[in-house]
Amino acid sequence: MSSSDFTLDRVRKTFGLTISDKIYIFASVHEVECPPLLAEVLLENVPLALASNT
């Protein structure tokens, strides 16, 4: 069975999943400063990822 045969409804029913649309699910998570190395890596790699749709 290919992935194109699956729909959200079919997967939900097959696995007994509950879809929950929650707003502000990360409200209790405190903001942290982005480490300089991560900022540098993202600056270099995000354009490539966006250009290749990944």
Side-chain angles (χ1 to χ4, degrees):
M1 193 176 248
S2 71
S3 61
S4 63
D5 293 329
F6 290 95
T7 64
L8 180 58
D9 191 51
R10 185 172 182 181
V11 170
R12 183 184 58 79
K13 288 177 182 174
T14 301
F15 296 104
L17 302 176
T18 302
I19 306 299
S20 178
D21 294 329
K22 291 185 179 181
I23 298 175
Y24 305 115
I25 61 171
F26 297 109
S28 64
V29 176
H30 300 288
E31 188 174 322
V32 295
E33 188 174 329
C34 180
L37 179 59
L38 175 59
E40 183 180 334
V41 169
L42 292 174
L43 186 63
E44 292 179 17
N45 292 293
V46 166
L48 175 60
L50 292 174
S52 61
N53 292 321
T54 62

